[in-house]
Amino acid sequence: MGRKTPSGNSSSESDLEIKVQPRNIGLEERDQRLHSYPPQIPPPNYQPYKKWAPWLVPIIIIVNIVLFIFVMYVNDCPHNSNNCFGIDFFGRYAFQDVHENPLLGPSTTTLQKLGALDVNKVVDGKQIWRLFSCMWLHAGVFHVAANMLSLLFVGIRLEQEFGFLRIGPLYVLAGVGGSLLSALFVRKKISVGASGALFGLLGAMLSELITNWTLYENKLATLLTLILIIALNLAVGILPHVDNFAHLGGFVTGFLLGCVLLLRPQFGWVNLNKAPPGYFVAAKKSKYKIYQYILLMFSLAFLLTGFILGLALLTNGWDGNAHCSWCHYLSCVPTPLWSCTEARCATIQLGNQLNMTCTSNHKNGSYMLTNPNNTFEIQMLCSKLCT
């Protein structure tokens, strides 16, 4: 016997028409379905870029401090000068008289002997190494303290973000770039300090922000804050006895190096290659954007041209001030409170008798010296005569 349908009529299975009605999905089941898909946002501990443990910047700070102590040991003020500050407490490490060096440090002669930037020695003596050595010397306690504190705050952050392999060369090359520009314009003074390298780090921070612009959220606020910090530091450079050319040279060098060494892949490429399992990423993107490639090529070209041309001009004795009548204002702006002119005098000395003529205003003076070998007293008399 054949099987009957519920209506009592026999029929084959192919004649059956089955209709399925859509079933309402409850809120609980809908949440379960949504959670079964990969998350659209990264987990809280997701770090697309590697964080580095900073060790190079602390070593640089320690080296600068140790070198300053060594410079004070070589200086040996009590043995080489009659005017020292803190001799009862510091002994051999006592500072030069505060009138000679208000930064509490060694004499100019000691700094010059140990590697300060002296253009005459670089050009005539072919001592190019001074472009490097001068960035590890400091003029005094206040000088080394201010620079090392700045390096601590700026350098540590950059090394954490980009690592020692990028920050180390950037620091050194920016320091040399600052020394190079200083040597082309500051011809009559010696120069020491890590300020050029520090301004290089600031310049690199600015170029890194511009180069990796799409990776930042608060772009405008970050840019304005950084520009304000840089402007304030450069403004200090217009004071007398501050080598702002080293600041400017280091800043420009660091800015160009930042476009080369601190380049980051765009976020979409990083997500695709380094995203954790289960993280939904968009379609594959190129590693770098077109404007990043353009900045990289132009920066490399300017860096190579600048260093080659600068070294060629320096070794041939080129004086930047002779070709730029206003450039000296970049390093010092005269005001009623101070003068930017360095006092220079022609002297004729017979025993304790000193006849002096200021080369700038041609005033004459005759003086009796308490100590005919005290160069500081002679310089002070020259400054008064030229004022």
Side-chain angles (χ1 to χ4, degrees):
M1 294 179 60
R3 182 174 297 181
K4 295 182 179 179
T5 62
S7 61
N9 300 323
S10 64
S11 175
S12 64
E13 285 187 21
S14 60
D15 295 331
L16 293 177
E17 184 179 0
I18 301 174
K19 295 182 178 180
V20 179
Q21 298 293 332
R23 183 168 59 90
N24 293 330
I25 301 177
L27 294 177
E28 182 177 352
E29 187 175 349
R30 183 181 301 170
D31 290 340
Q32 291 178 353
R33 291 191 180 185
L34 289 174
H35 286 295
S36 66
Y37 290 96
Q40 301 297 312
I41 57 175
N45 59 349
Y46 172 51
Q47 292 185 353
Y49 302 106
K50 179 181 179 180
K51 291 291 185 180
W52 298 78
W55 60 268
L56 180 62
V57 169
I59 287 179
I60 292 176
I61 293 174
I62 293 172
V63 168
N64 276 275
I65 294 174
V66 170
L67 283 176
F68 178 74
I69 295 173
F70 173 73
V71 169
M72 294 307 302
Y73 174 84
V74 174
N75 186 65
D76 192 7
C77 184
H79 183 263
N80 297 304
S81 177
N82 295 326
N83 297 313
C84 300
F85 175 76
I87 190 172
D88 295 334
F89 186 79
F90 295 104
R92 181 188 181 109
Y93 297 91
F95 309 113
Q96 296 296 129
D97 186 81
V98 292
H99 295 288
E100 180 181 353
N101 188 344
L103 298 175
L104 299 182
S107 67
T108 300
T109 304
T110 300
L111 291 172
Q112 192 176 42
K113 179 172 64 175
L114 293 178
L117 180 59
D118 185 332
V119 177
N120 292 326
K121 293 185 179 297
V122 172
V123 177
D124 300 330
K126 307 300 180 184
Q127 298 176 2
I128 300 294
W129 52 269
R130 288 181 179 269
L131 296 174
F132 171 79
S133 62
C134 68
M135 62 183 286
W136 302 95
L137 303 175
H138 288 83
V141 173
F142 297 139
H143 190 201
V144 69
N147 279 349
M148 293 306 102
L149 284 174
S150 300
L151 179 59
L152 180 66
F153 288 108
V154 178
I156 290 290
R157 179 259 174 189
L158 282 174
E159 189 177 357
Q160 285 177 331
E161 291 292 328
F162 297 97
F164 69 96
L165 287 175
R166 300 187 186 189
I167 300 306
L170 195 155
Y171 179 87
V172 173
L173 289 174
V176 173
S179 300
L180 183 56
L181 187 65
S182 173
L184 292 173
F185 286 92
V186 181
R187 312 285 298 185
K188 300 178 181 179
K189 301 177 184 177
I190 68 168
S191 179
V192 293
S195 300
L198 288 171
F199 270 84
L201 296 182
L202 290 175
M205 289 179 67
L206 180 60
S207 64
E208 187 270 328
L209 173 62
I210 296 173
T211 305
N212 305 320
W213 183 257
T214 58
L215 304 180
Y216 286 86
E217 293 183 356
N218 301 322
K219 298 178 176 64
L220 186 59
T222 305
L223 178 63
L224 292 177
T225 302
L226 188 54
I227 290 177
L228 179 62
I229 294 173
I230 294 170
L232 290 175
N233 281 275
L234 287 175
V236 175
I238 65 174
L239 298 174
H241 310 300
V242 179
D243 188 359
N244 212 27
F245 284 108
H247 297 174
L248 291 169
F251 177 81
V252 173
T253 305
F255 182 90
L256 296 174
L257 284 170
C259 296
V260 177
L261 298 177
L262 306 187
L263 200 65
R264 283 195 191 275
Q266 59 174 313
F267 197 71
W269 184 90
V270 175
N271 284 345
L272 186 63
N273 290 270
K274 298 184 179 181
Y279 174 35
F280 175 77
V281 294
K284 185 175 181 179
K285 295 184 177 181
S286 61
K287 189 171 183 179
Y288 299 105
K289 293 183 177 293
I290 294 177
Y291 79 90
Q292 290 178 304
Y293 285 112
I294 294 174
L295 286 174
L296 172 63
M297 291 186 294
F298 273 98
S299 297
L300 277 175
F302 279 120
L303 274 171
L304 292 174
T305 303
F307 271 99
I308 294 173
L309 181 61
L311 287 171
L313 292 174
L314 177 62
T315 53
N316 283 281
W318 188 81
D319 185 355
N321 298 293
H323 303 275
C324 180
S325 59
W326 56 268
C327 285
H328 62 279
Y329 291 115
L330 294 175
S331 186
C332 182
V333 177
T335 70
L337 299 177
W338 64 73
S339 172
C340 296
T341 304
E342 184 179 7
R344 289 188 173 274
C345 298
T347 60
I348 299 176
Q349 187 173 349
L350 297 173
N352 289 354
Q353 178 72 31
L354 177 68
N355 296 318
M356 182 181 295
T357 302
C358 177
T359 57
S360 58
N361 58 21
H362 304 291
K363 290 183 178 179
N364 298 313
S366 182
Y367 309 95
M368 290 297 297
L369 301 176
T370 56
N371 181 1
N373 298 319
N374 190 342
T375 57
F376 172 67
E377 181 182 3
I378 296 174
Q379 184 61 38
M380 290 295 293
L381 292 172
C382 178
S383 298
K384 291 180 180 179
L385 186 64
C386 293
T387 301

